[in-house]
Every structure is written in structure tokens, then in C-alpha cells.
């Protein structure tokens, strides 16, 4: 049972951290470390199983991830092709394709290192694998916790339902991605109205881009009113240009009306956890909920969100990656 103590302690820290604030990235890391230590503890128990059964489990532990990596690479490449065909060839849309190709490249390098016996190639491969393991661990932490965070439900009364803007079609029309957010906001609004206690204001947030005819907030408000929401229940924040500004300027409006306000922020599901982290930083008193996104759009969008989070914590992440790089160089030099 001693083998399970680290997992239990990490899970306890995770619970305390989540109770303190659900919007922290450290929650994701603690959750990931809990699963890693729990897996190690379970593997340690394999030695107590009959030889054949223990051998099969040990084989599965190494075989399943290997097959899974290849399957993941194929899926990412296929998704990247779909994204390029449906959404265009921008860098953001090609992230899943690039990630899949990077996995294949690392696999090819590993096979080359094993086949040639080159110390230099082996050292480079080891370094890249270690960095890939670290980045993959963080990504899986991000993915798992983002999934859990997305299960949050609205409880109690809220004063505002804030809907974050995105680009418009033709400069003045709401695209499907943004319409998904607005529908989610309306669902929350209608559920609050049905409670019969307090009618929240729908706060649309988004300024006017250089290629847009009207502010995103105005187009969003018009969409809501056309769907039957009373105009007096809609308010606009029409100066922001980024998600950070969406949240800061919306907070100023809400806090100006009522310092004790409580809100819900709505964005798309792939963006919800990072938006929640930004909301915490901006001092917004509320959680973030996600609306549905087309399945083919989700992988590249999620990778883009993770990259943004990784860069936001660049001091720690780049230091660790740099240390792994130095370790790989040292091992190569010592083995030469």
C-alpha cells in the first residue's frame, strides 16, 4: 500500500487546489502527476500476479502506447488535411497536420538511430524524445483537465452571461462558430429566467476589426434580439480586440454596475479552460462554459490553445526543455 501514498497525496493536493480555484493550470499538472504515480503504483503490483498474467499486462503497457502513438499520428495528419480543405491553409489550421508529421519524424529518427548505431543520432534522438515526453505530458494534463473543467454546470443566480466575440462573416454577420456561443449563452439565460428569481443581462463582448463593418458585440446583440431576447436584457462591450481585453473590459462594466456581481463567461469548448485561466488573471468573478464545436475543428484548435498556455508559462517550460537539451548533449559527448 505504501506505493499508493504519492498518488494519494497528489490527489489530495489536486482537490485542495481545485477547491481554491478551478481556473489554475497547476490543477491540470497535479491531476496528471496523480495518474502517473497511480500507474506506477499499479505496475508495481504486477509482480504479485501469476507469471503469464503479469507478462501480458507488462506487454500491454508497452504495446498499447506504441500502437497508440502511430494511430494518433495518422489521425492528426488526416485531420490536418480536412482542416486545410475546409478552413484554409493558415498555420493555426495546419497545427494537427504538423503535429502528426512531427510524430512520424521522431519515429523515423528513432528507427534510424537503432539501425545505424550512431552515437550522435542516438543522443539527438534521446534528447528529442525526452522533450517530446515532457510536452506530451503537459498536453495530456491540459486535455484531461480541460475535459473535466468543461463539465461545470451553472449553479445559483448569475447577474451576467458574458459571450466572447470572434470574427464576423462579410464584416457584419455572425458565423457558425460564434452562433454556437450565442446559443449557449441563450440557454443559460433562459434557464436563469425559468428559475424565476433574477433575469441576467447578456453581455456581448467584441470590438470592431479592421475588416469589419460593425463591432462584433453589435452583430452579436442583433443576433440575440432577432432570436427573441428583449433588447433591454442585452448590453454591449464593443472596444475589445483580444480575449484578454474581452475579459478586462467586461469586468469593468460588471463591477461598475455591481461590485458583488456574479457571471458566467461563454466561449467555445476548446477555448474554455484557457479563457478561464485568463478570466482568473483579469479578476473576473465567474467560471467559463464552452459551447459545441465541429468535431473536425477541435484537434487543431485544442493544440493552438495548448501552445498558447505553454508559451504563457515559457519561463518554466523553456528552462525544462533547455535542461533536457543540455542533458542530451552531455550524454552524447560522454558516449562518444
Amino acid at each position: 500500500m505504501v506505493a499508493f501514498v504519492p498518488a494519494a497525496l497528489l490527489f489530495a493536493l489536486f482537490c485542495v487546489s481545485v477547491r481554491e480555484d478551478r481556473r489554475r493550470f497547476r490543477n491540470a499538472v497535479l491531476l496528471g502527476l496523480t495518474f502517473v504515480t497511480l500507474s506506477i503504483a499499479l505496475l508495481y503490483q504486477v509482480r504479485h500476479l501469476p507469471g503469464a498474467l503479469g507478462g501480458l499486462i507488462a506487454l500491454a503497457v508497452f504495446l498499447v502506447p506504441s500502437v497508440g502513438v502511430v494511430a494518433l499520428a495518422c489521425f492528426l495528419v488526416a485531420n490536418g488535411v480536412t482542416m486545410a480543405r475546409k478552413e484554409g491553409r493558415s498555420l493555426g489550421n495546419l497545427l494537427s497536420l504538423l503535429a502528426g508529421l512531427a510524430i512520424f519524424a521522431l519515429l523515423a529518427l528513432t528507427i534510424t538511430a537503432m539501425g545505424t548505431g550512431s552515437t550522435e543520432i542516438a543522443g539527438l534522438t534521446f534528447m528529442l524524445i525526452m522533450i517530446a515526453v515532457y510536452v506530451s505530458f503537459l498536453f495530456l494534463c491540459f486535455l484531461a483537465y480541460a475535459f473535466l473543467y468543461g463539465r461545470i454546470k451553472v449553479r445559483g443566480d448569475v447577474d451576467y452571461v458574458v459571450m466572447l466575440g470572434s470574427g464576423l462573416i462579410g464584416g457584419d454577420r455572425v458565423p457558425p462558430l460564434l452562433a454556437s456561443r450565442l446559443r449557449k449563452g441563450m440557454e443559460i439565460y433562459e434557464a436563469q429566467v425559468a428559475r424565476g428569481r433574477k433575469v441576467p443581462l447578456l453581455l456581448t463582448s467584441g470590438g470592431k476589426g479592421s475588416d469589419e463593418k460593425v463591432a462584433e458585440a453589435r452583430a452579436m446583440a442583433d443576433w440575440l434580439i432577432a432570436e427573441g431576447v428583449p433588447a433591454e436584457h442585452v448590453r454591449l462591450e464593443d472596444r475589445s480586440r483580444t480575449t484578454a481585453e474581452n475579459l478586462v473590459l467586461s469586468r469593468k462594466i460588471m463591477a461598475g454596475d455591481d461590485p458583488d456581481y456574479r457571471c458566467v463567461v461563454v466561449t467555445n469548448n476548446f477555448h474554455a479552460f484557457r479563457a478561464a485561466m485568463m478570466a482568473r488573471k483579469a479578476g473576473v468573478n465567474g467560471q467559463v462554459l464552452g459551447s459545441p464545436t465541429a468535431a473536425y475543428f477541435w484537434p487543431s484548435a485544442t493544440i493552438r490553445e495548448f501552445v498558447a498556455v505553454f508559451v504563457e508559462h515559457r519561463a518554466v517550460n523553456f528552462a525544462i526543455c533547455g535542461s533536457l537539451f543540455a542533458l542530451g548533449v552531455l550524454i552524447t559527448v560522454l558516449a562518444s
Side-chain angles (χ1 to χ4, degrees), residues 218-238:
R218 179 71 267 167
M220 295 161 69
D222 291 343
W223 190 97
L224 291 167
I225 294 170
E227 291 292 317
V229 177
E232 61 269 23
H233 293 170
V234 181
R235 188 152 183 200
L236 281 67
E237 179 290 293
D238 58 3

Side-chain angles (χ1 to χ4, degrees), residues 252-313:
K252 288 182 179 179
I253 290 174
M254 294 184 290
D257 291 344
D258 179 7
D260 296 321
Y261 75 91
R262 182 168 177 261
C263 75
V264 171
V265 180
V266 179
T267 185
N268 288 91
N269 51 14
F270 63 82
H271 186 232
F273 180 39
R274 186 166 78 91
M277 294 168 60
M278 298 173 74
R280 174 181 173 275
K281 187 176 180 180
V284 174
N285 181 26
Q287 299 296 333
V288 181
L289 273 64
S291 64
T293 306
Y296 76 87
F297 192 87
W298 186 85
S300 281
T302 302
I303 293 172
R304 184 171 64 246
E305 293 299 306
F306 169 71
V307 170
V309 172
F310 188 89
V311 173
E312 285 171 11
H313 296 80

Side-chain angles (χ1 to χ4, degrees), residues 119-142:
T119 302
E120 290 76 13
I121 296 178
L124 175 63
T125 303
F126 175 80
M127 174 192 68
L128 292 177
I129 288 176
M130 290 299 100
I131 293 175
V133 167
Y134 172 71
V135 175
S136 297
F137 168 74
L138 289 184
F139 179 69
L140 290 175
C141 290
F142 174 82

